[in-house]
């Protein structure tokens, strides 16, 4: 649309002012048409089809009644240790609840807990994934403090809220006697915080689901993209030397300094369509009076644009290799994480139009869930959750929020407990709507 508007204007400049006025009118018309085309209209058919059903009403009433217990369970889970790789206690708890509720439960070798709620058949299979792990170590005090509407504890927001919401949804589906068409596959994942490794492993070892819903992040815009994240360690090596004999000898310190300086001089734009890079660790050397034998620094490179991400990664690789060669020191490159990017907003236009995204936005609107500051949009082509692994596998995938809250990944984490109720209703209504294939086919554009 922008191209044809510019073209119309150029033609007018050549042919004179009369035509210019006409072209301005056309451009204005086009601009208004564009605006209308961009005004998203969301499918609302689910509202009449789903909300009037007695089983749905029963399930929602059960959620309301059981909400105080849901908050108690949320606190119970949050107070269990859950550092990435040490999620066993939380996993065992989720497994027990899933078994009590009659799901087909399995635990894989990494510790992911899967509970399948079989559908009647004929609908899409939907994975609903909430990560069990937290960034906080086993020595951190996880005791939860309640202050009015606020819960405070490390990990209370990210992501014990989603785990509790998931268990409440399972109970409510059973209490309402809801029979979905497609299977609902609830997965409590491990190791999300160290590179989405749990869900990555899960998707590699299970049949491909039709849809994937990540349960993570604060309530806000529906996230349908995937921020690509590369973690790399660049290690410089040398033979080392005593300071007294070091003059003129190769030193990895100079190579490291040149490389880091070069990285910060690279030009790139801001997120989301641009990229960001951070040097998070610089380590090496153990004594004052010697040339170090080994030094390293790490990079955390991020972008939603897979092309930009890879080209920046190659530029950094060349720059580091050149610095090592110039200073005549050894170089070892260690890839710690390489999670692909889902694509920019423009690249993901078809994903944005998918019924999963559209319906999620409309369910949020129906429930009065705030999506963020005005102009931020109802859905965003970015994400750093379990849903990323679905996005890069081209499975229609989104992430929906768990509650309002903040200060995640710090010991000052907090959550607004009341907002977990609409978040749980969102999960339930979205799962039921999307699993009903007859309704789903109405929604497919
Ligand atoms: Zn999280």
């Amino acid at each position: 649309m922008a191209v044809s508007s510019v073209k119309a204007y150029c033609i007018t400049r050549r042919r004179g002012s009369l035509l210019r006025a006409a072209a301005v009118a056309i451009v204005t018309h086009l601009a208004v048409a564009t605006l209308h085309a961009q005004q998203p209209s969301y499918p609302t058919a689910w509202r009449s089809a789903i909300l009037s059903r007695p089983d749905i009403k029963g399930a929602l009433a059960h959620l309301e009644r059981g909400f105080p217990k849901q908050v108690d369970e949320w606190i119970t889970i949050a107070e269990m240790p859950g550092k990435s790789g040490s999620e066993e206690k939380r996993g065992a708890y989720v497994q027990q609840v899933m078994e009590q509720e009659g799901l087909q439960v399995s635990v894989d070798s990494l510790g992911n807990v899967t509970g399948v709620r079989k559908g009647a058949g004929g609908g899409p299979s939907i994975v609903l994934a909430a990560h069990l792990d937290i960034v906080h170590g086993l020595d951190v005090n996880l005791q939860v403090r309640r202050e009015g509407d606020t819960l405070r504890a490390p990990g209370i927001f990210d992501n014990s809220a989603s785990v509790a919401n998931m268990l409440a949804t399972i109970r409510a589906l059973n209490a309402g006697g809801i029979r979905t068409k497609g299977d609902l596959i609830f997965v409590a994942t491990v190791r999300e915080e160290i590179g989405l490794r749990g869900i990555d492993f899960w998707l590699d070892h299970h049949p491909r689901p039709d849809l994937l819903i990540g349960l993570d992040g604060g309530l806000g815009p529906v996230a349908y993209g995937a921020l690509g994240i590369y973690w790399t360690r660049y290690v410089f090596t040398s033979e080392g030397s005593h300071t007294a004999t070091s003059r003129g000898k190769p030193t990895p310190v100079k190579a490291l300094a040149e490389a880091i300086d070069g990285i910060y001089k690279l030009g790139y734009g801001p997120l989301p369509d641009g990229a960001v890079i951070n040097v998070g660790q610089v380590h090496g050397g153990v004594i004052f009076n010697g040339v170090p034998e080994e030094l390293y620094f790490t990079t955390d490179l991020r972008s939603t644009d897979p092309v930009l991400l890879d080209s920046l990664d190659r530029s950094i690789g060349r720059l580091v290799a050149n610095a090592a060669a110039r200073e005549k020191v050894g170089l070892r490159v260690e890839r710690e994480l390489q999670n692909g990017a889902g694509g920019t907003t423009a690249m993901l236009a078809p994903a944005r139009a998918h019924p999963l995204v559209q319906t999620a936005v409309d369910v949020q609107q129906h429930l009065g869930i705030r999506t963020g500051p005005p102009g931020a949009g109802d859905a965003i082509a970015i994400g750093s959750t379990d849903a990323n692994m679905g996005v890069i596998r081209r499975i229609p995938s989104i992430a929906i929020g768990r509650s309002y809250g903040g200060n995640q990944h710090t010991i000052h984490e907090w959550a607004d407990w009341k907002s977990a109720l609409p978040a749980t209703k969102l999960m339930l209504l979205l799962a039921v709507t999307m699993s009903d294939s007859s309704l789903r086919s109405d929604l497919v554009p």
Side-chain angles (χ1 to χ4, degrees), residues 72-406:
D72 288 345
E73 183 167 59
W74 175 4
I75 293 171
T76 301
I77 296 165
E79 291 184 340
M80 291 177 181
K83 185 178 168 52
S84 306
S86 304
E87 306 91 341
E88 296 83 359
K89 229 178 159 180
R90 291 179 180 214
Y93 182 85
V94 168
Q95 180 184 358
Q96 181 207 326
V97 175
M98 284 178 168
E99 282 168 355
Q100 275 167 5
E101 293 300 314
L103 271 53
Q104 296 174 7
V105 185
S106 60
V107 183
D108 67 26
S109 61
L110 228 57
N112 294 306
V113 183
T114 304
V116 179
R117 193 174 186 278
K118 290 298 284 180
S125 59
I126 307 177
V127 162
L128 294 120
H131 71 86
L132 292 167
D133 59 319
I134 54 174
V135 297
H136 307 282
L138 300 174
D139 54 340
V140 174
N141 180 4
L142 302 177
Q143 201 179 350
V144 179
R145 282 181 296 134
R146 269 179 115 136
E147 293 170 8
D149 292 349
T150 306
L151 299 178
R152 296 185 189 278
I156 189 70
F157 183 46
D158 185 12
N159 192 34
S160 45
S162 290
V163 179
N165 294 357
M166 186 167 86
L167 298 181
T169 298
I170 294 168
R171 290 194 185 98
L173 287 165
N174 285 351
I178 293 174
R179 191 82 200 268
T180 56
K181 288 191 175 168
D183 293 351
L184 298 182
I185 305 162
F186 296 93
V187 189
T189 63
V190 294
R191 306 186 199 196
E192 189 270 353
E193 298 287 7
I194 52 170
L196 320 178
R197 291 170 205 263
I199 190 73
D200 192 27
F201 180 87
W202 193 95
L203 288 167
D204 278 348
H205 293 85
H206 288 82
R208 183 185 172 93
D210 295 312
L211 304 169
L212 192 152
I213 302 173
L215 312 165
D216 199 356
L219 278 173
V222 172
Y224 61 93
L227 181 64
I229 302 179
Y230 290 1
W231 289 351
T232 311
R233 185 181 293 106
Y234 296 98
V235 187
F236 298 98
T237 56
S238 81
E239 288 183 358
S241 163
H242 189 287
T243 304
T245 55
S246 65
R247 191 189 294 255
K249 284 198 177 154
T251 169
V253 177
K254 284 178 75 181
L256 178 137
E258 285 171 28
I260 294 176
D261 185 48
I263 285 170
Y264 280 105
K265 282 180 180 151
L266 286 172
Y268 41 83
L271 287 169
D273 287 357
V276 68
I277 183 167
N278 176 50
V279 174
Q281 302 175 63
V282 180
H283 282 279
V286 283
I287 50 173
F288 284 94
N289 48 352
V291 171
E293 289 174 40
E294 193 164 299
L295 290 179
Y296 73 82
F297 73 95
T298 61
T299 53
D300 178 5
L301 174 63
R302 300 172 175 224
S303 174
T304 56
D305 182 342
V307 181
L308 179 61
L309 190 66
D310 282 330
S311 99
L312 271 171
D313 183 56
R314 280 194 301 274
S315 300
I316 292 165
R318 271 197 302 274
L319 194 149
V320 175
N322 289 343
R326 242 185 343 263
E327 298 304 330
K328 300 186 173 61
V329 297
L331 173 65
R332 200 167 73 237
V333 180
E334 298 170 356
R335 295 287 188 187
E336 189 70 27
L337 182 73
Q338 208 157 2
N339 286 350
T344 62
T345 304
M347 291 171 188
L348 288 183
R352 176 68 180 82
H354 192 277
L356 178 61
V357 180
Q358 303 280 77
T359 308
V361 171
D362 193 62
V363 176
Q364 290 212 147
Q365 287 181 353
H366 166 75
L367 292 168
I369 292 172
R370 293 197 312 267
T371 56
D378 302 321
I380 48 172
I382 198 162
S384 289
T385 69
D386 280 343
N388 283 35
M389 286 295 155
V391 172
I392 62 172
R393 285 171 170 82
R394 299 292 170 233
I395 298 166
S397 303
I398 57 168
I400 55 172
R402 58 209 162 205
S403 71
Y404 298 116

Side-chain angles (χ1 to χ4, degrees), residues 403-418:
S403 71
Y404 298 116
N407 292 343
Q408 63 199 75
H409 294 192
T410 77
I411 55 164
H412 305 294
E413 213 167 310
W414 63 275
D416 166 63
W417 60 266
K418 284 185 177 164

